[in-house]
């Protein structure tokens, strides 16, 4: 067990958290790009060409993307939560140890190593929130583009029979990815997590002192 613990601390946990986070971020980025492409297509369509068949085709693509995101949410809910929690603990712990070591004449290379590890963990937290939160924003952009195009079409042709299609889209809540429904990954959470991280780090410093 004495040999196993350093292996877990130095190799398994960092690699697992990094690879899981990288895969999760890649999926979120691809999903956001797909939604942005859909938004661009809606904006380029002429109002007269924004027919019911076109709207159904766009709606079908939105549903496919949402189904994919729901699958990702079910798959990565627990891993993303554990990775986020691990990065949070590592970041606050490394920073507190580095600051304490600086005051207690710890070797500088150790302080640099701990500071770098804390910076990597913090970057992992912020990157996860940024890309996962971008999915929700991209879906909101799709809704806004669809709403504007519907209004433009209303000025050209009667669209009473087409309103139900747009209503289905607007009534659906934009997907918000989360970790075990405890941590919701939105860009609004970046400042909240940063403030909580600083508070937790100061608490550890007070305990160690």
């Amino acid at each position: 067990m004495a040999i196993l613990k350093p292996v877990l601390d130095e190799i398994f946990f960092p690699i697992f958290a990094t690879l899981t986070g990288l895969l999760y971020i890649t999926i979120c980025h691809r999903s956001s790009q797909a939604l942005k492409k859909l938004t661009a297509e809606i904006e380029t369509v002429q109002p007269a060409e924004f027919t019911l068949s076109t709207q159904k085709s766009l709606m079908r693509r939105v549903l496919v993307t949402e189904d994919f995101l729901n699958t990702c949410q079910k798959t990565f809910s627990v891993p993303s939560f554990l990775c986020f929690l691990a990065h949070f603990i590592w970041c606050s712990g490394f920073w507190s140890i580095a600051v304490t070591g600086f005051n207690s004449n710890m070797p500088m290379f150790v302080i640099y190593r701990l500071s770098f590890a804390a910076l990597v963990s913090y970057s992992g937290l912020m990157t996860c929130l940024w890309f996962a939160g971008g999915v929700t924003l991209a879906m909101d952009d799709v809704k806004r583009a669809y709403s504007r195009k519907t209004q433009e079409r209303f000025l050209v042709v009667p669209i009473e029979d087409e309103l139900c299609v747009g209503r289905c889209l607007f009534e659906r809540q934009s997907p918000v990815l989360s970790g075990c429904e405890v941590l919701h990954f939105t860009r609004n959470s970046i400042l909240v997590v940063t403030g909580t991280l600083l508070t937790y780090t100061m608490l550890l410093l007070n305990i160690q002192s």
Side-chain angles (χ1 to χ4, degrees):
M1 293 300 295
I3 299 177
L4 183 60
K5 186 178 184 302
V7 173
L8 293 176
D9 292 340
E10 298 291 337
I11 299 178
F12 179 75
F13 288 142
I15 292 179
F16 172 77
T18 301
L19 292 180
T20 303
L22 182 61
L23 179 60
Y24 189 67
I25 290 170
T26 302
I27 291 174
C28 293
H29 178 66
R30 292 291 183 88
S31 301
S32 297
Q33 291 300 315
L35 292 173
K36 289 180 180 179
K37 182 179 179 181
L38 183 59
T39 301
E41 292 182 10
I42 295 175
E43 293 175 345
T44 55
V45 173
Q46 296 298 322
E49 299 175 355
F50 199 59
T51 60
L52 185 59
S53 60
T54 302
Q55 296 178 41
K56 287 183 178 180
S57 176
L58 295 172
M59 179 66 69
R60 189 176 298 109
R61 292 169 60 184
V62 171
L63 293 178
V64 170
T65 303
E66 286 188 347
D67 290 340
F68 176 73
L69 291 174
N70 289 333
T71 302
C72 293
Q73 172 63 25
K74 294 177 182 178
T75 304
F76 286 93
S77 180
V78 175
S80 63
F81 175 78
L82 295 178
C83 290
F84 191 94
L85 189 61
H87 279 303
F88 185 90
I89 295 175
W90 289 340
C91 187
S92 59
F94 288 151
W95 272 123
S96 61
I97 295 174
V99 174
T100 303
F102 184 80
N103 295 329
S104 61
N105 297 323
M106 181 182 291
M108 291 303 298
F109 77 92
V110 177
I111 296 177
Y112 290 150
R113 180 183 177 185
L114 292 173
S115 299
F116 178 76
L119 182 61
V120 171
S121 295
Y122 180 77
S123 300
L125 290 174
M126 297 302 103
T127 304
C128 178
L129 292 175
W130 182 266
F131 282 95
V135 175
T136 304
L137 297 179
M139 181 61 75
D140 291 338
D141 290 339
V142 172
K143 292 182 178 181
R144 281 192 290 267
Y146 191 99
S147 176
R148 179 173 179 81
K149 190 61 62 175
T150 302
Q151 294 173 7
E152 293 176 354
R153 180 170 172 76
F154 178 77
L155 299 176
V156 179
V157 294
I159 59 172
E160 286 78 5
D161 296 336
E162 304 174 9
L163 292 178
C164 60
V165 179
R167 190 180 301 114
C168 294
L169 178 62
F170 300 137
E171 291 178 352
R172 300 172 67 89
Q173 184 178 2
S174 298
V176 178
L177 300 177
S178 66
C180 296
E181 295 297 331
V182 176
L183 298 171
H184 291 83
F185 303 138
T186 63
R187 292 185 179 178
N188 294 333
S189 303
I190 291 179
L191 292 179
V192 176
V193 172
T194 301
T196 305
L197 187 60
L198 292 175
T199 303
Y200 188 68
T201 302
M202 295 301 298
L203 179 62
L204 290 178
L205 288 174
N206 292 332
I207 293 176
Q208 293 176 3
S209 61

